[in-house]
Amino acid sequence: MNLLYHFGIYKGYRGLPVSIYPPILQVNPSFSTIAFNSSMNSFSGFCTSASKVLIHYGSESAVKSGLIHEISKCLTEAGIDFVTLGGVVPNPRLSKVREGISLCQKESVDFILAVGGGSVIDSAKAIGYGVANPWTDVWNFFLKTEIP
């Protein structure tokens, strides 16, 4: 199954150890329909304790392809609230990460679903760093002036 679960102690970007909260799940958008349905059933079962999910994705192709709609439908059917944040670009921008941190805090997000490839998961991990460590700016971890 093409799911990547990221939770607990995770060796993230530049080898920084981090206790990621909220947990992060990555969905590869190149799934076949059967693999996608199976993955979303697993995901729905995995995050039943989640009260709100951030669906984090890159380009509008995830929307145009219907993938975000299908994920939204699965979450709605499972009774799980969600918010979305798209627009991740290659070499993710700090401004998008900060936007995600703010959204997660405002909406009380407790699970991040990264839909896409490496840049999306990097952005989702950085958002996880920021949500888990609200007392400081997430960039300090990458500068290594603070340790999570």
Side-chain angles (χ1 to χ4, degrees):
M1 193 175 303
N2 291 323
L3 293 178
L4 298 176
Y5 294 96
H6 299 276
F7 55 94
I9 302 300
Y10 179 76
K11 195 164 191 169
Y13 182 73
R14 293 188 180 176
L16 292 171
V18 62
S19 178
I20 298 254
Y21 179 85
I24 299 169
L25 169 70
Q26 180 184 16
V27 174
N28 185 328
S30 63
F31 281 169
S32 68
T33 302
I34 294 168
F36 171 76
N37 289 336
S38 171
S39 298
M40 285 312 296
N41 287 337
S42 284
F43 168 68
S44 296
F46 176 75
C47 74
T48 53
S49 63
S51 60
K52 190 169 267 190
V53 173
L54 171 66
I55 303 172
H56 192 45
Y57 60 95
S59 69
E60 287 300 309
S61 64
V63 175
K64 290 177 185 173
S65 71
L67 181 59
I68 300 301
H69 174 75
E70 286 300 314
I71 291 170
S72 300
K73 183 176 147 189
C74 289
L75 291 173
T76 300
E77 288 172 0
I80 300 169
D81 290 333
F82 61 91
V83 292
T84 61
L85 179 61
V88 177
V89 296
N91 299 313
R93 305 295 184 259
L94 185 58
S95 58
K96 184 60 69 177
V97 169
R98 288 183 174 138
E99 182 182 351
I101 293 167
S102 176
L103 180 62
C104 286
Q105 291 169 337
K106 177 183 167 200
E107 296 289 337
S108 300
V109 166
D110 55 4
F111 199 100
I112 299 174
L113 173 59
V115 181
S119 292
V120 175
I121 193 65
D122 287 346
S123 181
K125 289 185 295 187
I127 291 169
Y129 276 108
V131 172
N133 302 283
W135 61 85
T136 190
D137 184 70
V138 70
W139 189 242
N140 292 335
F141 301 131
F142 296 96
L143 294 175
K144 295 190 177 183
T145 59
E146 291 190 51
I147 307 241

